Amino acid sequence: MRQVTLKDKTFVPYITSDKISESVKKLALSINAELKDEFPLFLVVLNGSFMFAADLLKEVDIPCEISFIKLASYHGTSSTGNVTELIGLTEEIKGRTVVVVEDIVDTGVTLEKLVTVLNKKGVKQVKIASFLLKPEAYKKDIEVNYVGMRIPNDFVVGYGLDYDGLGRNLKDVFVLKSN
Ligand code: IMP
């Protein structure tokens, strides 16, 4: 596998598409077994999760629904501080089992905001499926229920993940080359 240059940075091979596919299939098996009676709603968090979600959901064979959301952050009033808005959610999620599909959980700040919004809408339960997790960086209490792979605290691109908008289309995962 070749190394790739995106803007000013060089990335070297890290996880092959074969390994990715193996881990995604395993993850789908757990979801199929554990959520078969839940009729879950998968909420795919754009943009980074599109490739993972496509592969994962082809392997999910239980009755389910799929929707796509984005998180937008803007400054509220001085009393409300930073407000996180959920864009794209048109389904009624009250009382439902929701599975958040994420590309990567790093510090967990994004995830925590999203789970807070979903809980406020009265869901039955929120499960989290993330392709990658950086355990050294993750300090939140929310359990990440389904993890494709755990990786060290390195910056990676490919398989949906980007550096400054680039690299999402790579089918393998690459890691920033250390000099
Ligand atoms: P968190 O809020 O710190 O968990 O960060 C989550 C978001 O940061 C992800 O959804 C990604 O968009 C981005 N991110 C974190 N680590 C990486 C990485 O290694 N490569 C590309 N994007 C990353």
Side-chain angles (χ1 to χ4, degrees), residues 45 48-49 102-112 132 134 137-138 151 153-158 161-163 168:
V45 185
S49 307
E102 272 283 13
D103 51 353
I104 189 164
V105 175
D106 185 353
T107 62
V109 169
T110 312
L111 185 64
E112 191 175 58
L132 296 174
K134 294 182 183 175
Y138 187 62
I151 61 166
N153 226 347
D154 299 320
F155 189 80
V156 295
V157 294
L161 291 150
D162 75 305
Y163 165 57
R168 291 195 198 276

Side-chain angles (χ1 to χ4, degrees), residues 67-120:
S67 196
F68 300 86
I69 56 167
K70 266 197 177 195
L71 278 179
S73 192
Y74 62 92
H75 292 288
T77 63
S78 55
S79 62
T80 53
N82 235 12
V83 181
T84 301
E85 194 194 353
L86 234 176
I87 301 171
L89 183 65
T90 51
E91 285 76 7
E92 171 62 73
I93 61 170
K94 196 164 181 223
R96 293 202 64 174
T97 292
V98 169
V99 184
V100 171
V101 181
E102 272 283 13
D103 51 353
I104 189 164
V105 175
D106 185 353
T107 62
V109 169
T110 312
L111 185 64
E112 191 175 58
K113 284 181 182 168
L114 178 55
V115 170
T116 304
V117 174
L118 294 175
N119 279 330
K120 273 196 196 140

